[in-house]
Amino acid sequence: MQTNPVDPAPGAVSGYAEPAWPGKHADMKRGLSSAQVEAQRAQFGRNVVDSTARRTWWRTLWEVLREPMFLLLLAASGIYLVLGDVSEALTLLAFVAGIVFLTVFQSHRTAQVLDSLRELSAPRAQVLRDGQRQLVCAAELVPGDVVFVDEGARVPADGAVTEAHELGVDESLLTGESVSVNKSVARADAHPEEDPGGQLFFGSMVVQGQGQMIVTATGPNTALGRIGKSLTGITEARSPLQLETRTFVNRFASVAIGLCLLLVVAYRLRSGEWLPGVLAGITLAMGILPEEIPVILTVFMALGARRIANEGVLTRRMSAIETLGQTSVLCVDKTGTLTQNRMSVRVLFAQGKRQVIDQATQRIDGAYHELIEYLVLASEIEPVDPMECAFHETGRAELAGTGRLHEDWSLVHEYALTPELPAMSHAWHTPELDHHAVACKGAPEAVCALCHLDERETRSVLEQVAQMASGGLRVLGVAKARHSHPDWPEKQHDFDFSFVGLVGLLDPVRPEVAGAIAQCQAAGIRVVMITGDYPSTARAIAAEVGIDGTRIMSGQEVAAMNDARLREAIKNIDVFARVKPEQKLRLVNAFRESGQVVAMTGDGVNDAPALKAAHIGIAMGLRGAEVAREVASLVLLRDDFAPIVSAIRLGRRIYANLVQAISYTVAVHIPMIAATMIPVLVGWPPMLAPVHIVFLQLVIDPVCSVVFENEPERENLMRLPPRRAGARLLSNRAIVQGAAAGAVVAMLVLGLYAGLLAHDYPMPFARTLAFVSLVVGNVALIFVIRLLPRFLPRLLPQSERRAHAPRQNRYLWMVLGVTGVALLLLMTVPALARLFGLVPLLDLDAAV
């Protein structure tokens, strides 16, 4: 273990520009100043390796113009020009330009939302600037920055190690070797290639210990940048919902091609002309293609992710939004999720005596001074963990003036906590003594084993632990040893430890947790606590927050069961205590294999496998390891339980609104298809032209992507059971409902059109009334789709019923107002009416 910072010489690292290597001029106590950071960034740019190019207007425009709908519109305009109808062609092109503008604006807005979410989810770094330790986006690092790295963090840039505490790094991204590499302080006079053990490289993962480095290269100047690899080059696979909608659209497109060919042939047989038949076929294709569906899905997911981010949850994978409404089991840690992660020392036990510390405590008896002394010595010198901060705070308050605060002692060796031995030790050089002092803290049973206590002594200690844990306290054991040999033992068991005492820490429960858990339970979601604390501690916390803790399963019991027995046992157990990280993975897999949709919270390196295995992995954003955030689907922007419930609520709302939007899309295309196809097949004059379809699209698109996306949640949304796992968005029931509603509108419109033609009304007059009725019918379908579940509850499964009418949606009335004004202009301005082949209202009497 090495702890003394080394200032490398300015010329120590070749290949780096002089300003990139502050060397002896680097202030390791204060880091760079804000002015220095800006100067370095101006010279070296952002710390990004081959980042994804940001979306531009031109790129978005090009993607929109390649859509089938716009190609059809351009083809229709070309046919009008060939037929000599220039005004119709120009009108259609004008509408095409309008739709292109709206689509590009919407697509670009969606892309901007996704870009901003990507920036939020970018790796972060702990950096020392202006004397303050700050958390910044890794892209903002510059050469010369002093950066802290901890276990589970992604190294954010290339740098020279200036401090190392049992530091081990996985460099497989660069070398392909999966074995971790131990790091030590960089030599001041060595080239990086001669001293790889003193260098950290961008993209590698810290798998053990902690350290400090000074940034030597950023972005394309790093080793990763020079070999052309990219951390951002991995694209997310299509989600099941995207695949489902893509399949649906492709099937519709296949049907459209067949029907269009049929219509072209039918028109040719009836009229003997090809071009008008092709125009009718294009009109039908425009009316039949549900090109809105992929757009709807993208818009809903992007805007939904932004809504969820506003609630304090960052979406790293859009597919998680689809799954939120299906969550049936929510596995949560205790510390920091259910509790505030604000530790305070509440109970001390030493020399057979016990003292409770509260607001009434005036001072702590001298019998406990040694216990506090060794608690501080067994903690980090500059603590970050709330538990160790509490030990240092207690030490400063109670040991001042006692000679037990050893500022002149130096840390010379340390033993890290491991899954096999949940205890850690620090060895200190003591100038006034002839030996090294060794301080140990950890799980009480592990400390008892290190002290080689006999069965009676161990039982007595663990009885005290049980009493303290029953009050919801986290309990640690403390031991001490002395070491006089020049060589350090390989393991902690080789020290001759003696037992010092126990400490109990209180971590208060978050005040909003009980209500949030009650909401989950009302929504049919099991909340399961998985903690490493004692069963009695877990039971006390469970009782306080409303989780059933009558039956608790320990990690030992989990380890003793095979998979089949475990799946059976977890059916009625909601609290798991003394659980190791590898057992979390088994529990998640057991819930999954039982048919549950599992969401799980985690923050450590060892939590990563379980987070990845869960349907929805939720990482702690403030205290979580970088590797946990990378594998998680959601990241909490504040370590709290309430945002998880908000995300589930929003996930349910997004899905419910998406179902409505898809149902409306299906419904609204039925009358358009019927109004285009049936008149041609039965020998009536064509009712719709491409320009009419374009007008209808101007109504449909904002309704789907704006109105339904902004539908408020139903009042009983969180009193419904989770959506069935594997349920299709485009279920047969939803398709039949939408098609049935659309068929009713189609029959009314075609009935009106046929009746007018049968009574010898002029075709322009019949088309005018039929078109107006079609627009009104499309508007009516909005209300039908919104209210249909209320009037047809027997047709819906229990999980989709809505007991309450929807709340007001201001975007609905805005879209309807604009539609009404556009239709009124169309019917009152003669020039516009003629472009559409309609009769203005002022000329209706003359037309009749």
Side-chain angles (χ1 to χ4, degrees):
M1 196 254 354
Q2 299 178 0
T3 60
N4 298 324
V6 174
D7 291 330
V13 182
S14 62
Y16 296 103
E18 183 69 25
W21 186 242
K24 292 183 178 179
H25 303 290
D27 188 345
M28 304 302 295
K29 298 289 187 182
R30 294 189 54 81
L32 297 180
S33 67
S34 300
Q36 288 174 315
V37 169
E38 292 302 319
Q40 291 288 79
R41 186 174 297 123
Q43 180 172 357
F44 295 98
R46 286 166 57 85
N47 179 33
V48 178
V49 178
D50 190 22
S51 64
T52 304
R54 294 185 67 88
R55 180 72 61 122
T56 64
W57 285 99
W58 291 111
R59 182 181 171 192
T60 305
L61 176 63
W62 172 243
E63 291 182 357
V64 169
L65 290 177
R66 290 186 299 172
E67 290 292 325
M69 172 61 72
F70 299 106
L71 297 178
L72 290 171
L73 286 169
L74 292 175
S77 300
I79 292 175
Y80 276 122
L81 287 174
V82 171
L83 293 173
D85 197 340
V86 178
S87 62
E88 192 79 22
L90 294 177
T91 302
L92 197 56
L93 287 174
F95 273 104
V96 169
I99 290 184
V100 167
F101 172 78
L102 290 175
T103 307
V104 168
F105 176 79
Q106 178 175 274
S107 299
H108 193 72
R109 176 168 167 257
T110 302
Q112 284 183 317
V113 171
L114 294 174
D115 285 340
S116 64
L117 290 173
R118 258 184 231 108
E119 287 187 2
L120 279 174
S121 64
R124 300 173 303 170
Q126 291 275 358
V127 62
L128 183 66
R129 288 178 180 170
D130 295 316
Q132 299 292 324
R133 188 164 175 164
Q134 305 173 18
L135 185 67
V136 302
C137 176
E140 302 303 316
L141 291 180
V142 297
D145 264 327
V146 177
V147 176
F148 304 90
V149 291
D150 299 297
E151 181 179 306
R154 180 78 69 179
V155 177
D158 282 6
V161 179
T162 57
E163 188 172 329
H165 300 262
E166 303 294 325
L167 187 60
V169 179
D170 176 5
E171 297 180 345
S172 57
L173 184 69
L174 291 164
T175 66
E177 296 291 335
S178 59
V179 178
S180 64
V181 180
N182 293 325
K183 296 293 182 177
S184 57
V185 173
R187 301 200 307 269
D189 57 349
H191 188 280
E193 294 180 1
E194 300 172 354
D195 183 27
Q199 306 296 317
L200 292 176
F201 300 102
F202 184 27
S204 54
M205 182 69 71
V206 180
V207 295
Q208 178 183 331
Q210 58 186 6
Q212 182 178 302
M213 74 175 196
I214 185 167
V215 176
T216 57
T218 57
N221 295 321
T222 62
L224 185 66
R226 290 197 297 272
I227 64 177
K229 290 187 178 179
S230 171
L231 294 176
T232 58
I234 301 172
T235 57
E236 186 177 350
R238 290 185 182 274
S239 71
L241 198 55
Q242 288 174 317
L243 294 174
E244 182 185 347
T245 53
R246 178 61 61 185
T247 301
F248 181 78
V249 171
N250 290 340
R251 287 175 180 171
F252 247 73
S254 301
V255 173
I257 292 172
L259 292 178
C260 291
L261 293 175
L262 174 63
L263 191 64
V264 171
V265 173
Y267 200 97
R268 173 68 175 84
L269 294 175
R270 287 188 174 277
S271 66
E273 298 182 85
W274 280 108
L275 280 181
V278 173
L279 191 61
I282 290 175
T283 305
L284 177 61
M286 291 168 56
I288 206 172
L289 279 178
E291 84 289 339
E292 304 93 349
I293 291 180
V295 176
I296 292 170
L297 188 60
T298 302
V299 169
F300 270 60
M301 293 302 149
L303 298 185
R306 187 173 67 179
R307 291 182 190 277
I308 292 174
N310 291 338
E311 295 293 331
V313 182
L314 176 65
T315 306
R316 296 194 74 252
R317 291 173 178 81
M318 292 296 151
S319 57
I321 299 177
E322 305 171 19
T323 316
L324 279 170
Q326 295 179 320
T327 302
S328 58
V329 172
L330 176 57
C331 300
V332 296
D333 189 17
K334 176 183 72 67
T335 305
T337 306
L338 301 181
T339 62
Q340 298 178 24
N341 202 25
R342 291 167 54 190
M343 298 283 189
S344 59
V345 176
R346 285 303 174 94
V347 178
L348 298 172
F349 175 80
Q351 300 180 18
K353 298 193 298 184
R354 175 175 171 176
Q355 178 165 353
V356 177
I357 304 173
D358 54 26
Q359 293 180 345
T361 304
Q362 296 295 322
R363 70 178 186 86
I364 296 176
D365 190 270
Y368 304 100
H369 285 179
E370 184 182 48
L371 172 59
I372 300 173
E373 174 188 11
Y374 277 89
L375 273 172
V376 174
L377 290 174
S379 303
E380 296 296 337
I381 300 172
E382 296 182 0
V384 176
D385 184 271
M387 179 179 64
E388 296 193 336
C389 290
F391 296 153
H392 276 266
E393 182 181 343
T394 303
R396 287 192 297 269
E398 304 299 335
L399 300 183
T402 64
R404 292 182 179 272
L405 291 176
H406 308 288
E407 295 183 0
D408 57 333
W409 289 14
S410 57
L411 180 64
V412 292
H413 205 80
E414 62 182 317
Y415 296 85
L417 180 146
T418 64
E420 296 75 25
L421 181 62
M424 60 182 292
S425 297
H426 283 175
W428 297 85
H429 172 64
T430 56
E432 70 276 15
L433 302 175
D434 60 355
H435 62 267
H436 293 99
V438 183
C440 172
K441 74 176 189 297
E445 61 269 30
V447 173
C448 288
L450 288 173
C451 295
H452 304 290
L453 299 184
D454 59 31
E455 185 177 347
R456 183 184 60 81
E457 292 171 322
T458 300
R459 185 168 58 251
S460 176
V461 170
L462 294 184
E463 286 175 357
Q464 287 291 334
V465 170
Q467 290 181 23
M468 294 165 68
S470 64
L473 300 180
R474 182 175 184 180
V475 186
L476 294 180
V478 181
K480 66 177 182 177
R482 56 173 59 190
H483 183 73
S484 304
H485 302 288
D487 298 324
W488 294 102
E490 292 185 5
K491 52 187 179 179
Q492 297 179 71
H493 277 288
D494 295 331
F495 288 109
D496 185 17
F497 280 111
S498 59
F499 186 77
V500 176
L502 300 170
V503 59
L505 298 110
L506 178 65
D507 187 5
V509 170
R510 296 183 183 275
E512 71 279 0
V513 164
I517 288 178
Q519 290 183 53
C520 285
Q521 293 167 343
I525 302 170
R526 280 179 66 188
V527 180
V528 175
M529 181 199 299
I530 303 178
T531 178
D533 269 340
Y534 279 89
S536 48
T537 305
R539 180 178 285 109
I541 299 297
E544 189 172 351
V545 300
I547 298 176
D548 182 10
T550 53
R551 294 184 60 193
I552 297 179
M553 180 179 290
S554 69
Q556 281 187 330
E557 292 175 293
V558 171
M561 292 182 180
N562 59 32
D563 292 343
R565 284 187 59 201
L566 183 60
R567 286 195 298 272
E568 187 64 29
I570 63 175
K571 290 182 179 178
N572 301 307
I573 298 177
D574 292 338
V575 178
F576 298 86
R578 232 52 184 146
V579 173
K580 296 180 179 179
E582 62 270 19
Q583 293 162 351
K584 286 185 180 181
L585 177 60
R586 282 200 68 200
L587 287 170
V588 168
N589 286 332
F591 279 118
R592 287 193 59 155
E593 291 164 4
S594 300
Q596 306 292 335
V597 176
V598 184
M600 179 188 166
T601 66
D603 59 359
V605 177
N606 293 326
D607 289 332
L611 289 174
K612 192 171 183 178
H615 292 94
I616 304 174
I618 305 172
M620 301 293 121
L622 298 181
R623 60 186 171 89
E626 190 67 42
V627 64
R629 289 194 292 270
E630 285 191 6
V631 302
S633 304
L634 303 176
V635 176
L636 298 183
L637 299 179
R638 61 180 190 273
D639 294 346
D640 193 355
F641 187 84
I644 302 174
V645 183
S646 299
I648 291 174
R649 173 187 286 107
L650 283 171
R652 289 187 171 198
R653 170 189 167 181
I654 292 164
Y655 191 89
N657 291 349
L658 187 57
V659 170
Q660 289 191 88
I662 299 295
S663 298
Y664 177 75
T665 301
V666 172
V668 83
H669 277 80
I670 297 298
M672 292 166 61
I673 295 168
T676 303
M677 193 168 186
I678 290 179
V680 175
L681 294 178
V682 301
W684 301 337
M687 176 182 157
L688 296 181
V691 70
H692 301 120
I693 301 295
V694 171
F695 184 91
L696 293 172
Q697 289 293 142
L698 290 173
V699 178
I700 296 169
D701 286 347
V703 167
C704 291
S705 57
V706 177
V707 173
F708 284 115
E709 198 280 328
N710 282 280
E711 274 288 277
E713 68 180 57
R714 308 290 169 144
E715 293 179 6
N716 63 336
L717 187 68
M718 290 298 283
R719 294 196 296 274
L720 300 169
R723 193 173 74 252
R724 180 174 54 83
R728 292 188 297 119
L729 170 71
L730 303 171
S731 64
N732 294 334
R733 179 178 286 107
I735 294 174
V736 169
Q737 276 186 222
V744 172
V745 173
M747 287 189 291
L748 293 175
V749 171
L750 288 172
L752 175 63
Y753 187 58
L756 292 173
L757 292 178
H759 287 79
D760 296 328
Y761 284 97
M763 195 277 290
F765 177 78
R767 170 185 276 182
T768 299
L769 292 186
F771 179 70
V772 171
S773 68
L774 182 57
V775 175
V776 172
N778 285 352
V779 169
L781 283 173
I782 302 173
F783 295 93
V784 171
I785 295 299
R786 292 175 81 234
L787 299 176
L788 190 60
R790 185 186 179 198
F791 293 111
L792 297 176
R794 294 183 181 179
L795 297 180
L796 294 173
Q798 184 68 32
S799 62
E800 294 182 21
R801 298 184 188 178
R802 301 289 186 267
H804 303 277
R807 300 171 185 170
Q808 293 300 316
N809 180 351
R810 62 190 181 96
Y811 290 95
L812 169 62
W813 304 109
M814 291 170 57
V815 169
L816 293 185
V818 172
T819 301
V821 169
L823 188 60
L824 185 63
L825 289 174
L826 182 62
M827 298 304 300
T828 55
V829 179
L832 284 178
R834 283 193 295 273
L835 287 174
F836 278 76
L838 305 177
V839 179
L841 293 174
L842 298 177
D843 297 337
L844 281 179
D845 292 337
V848 174

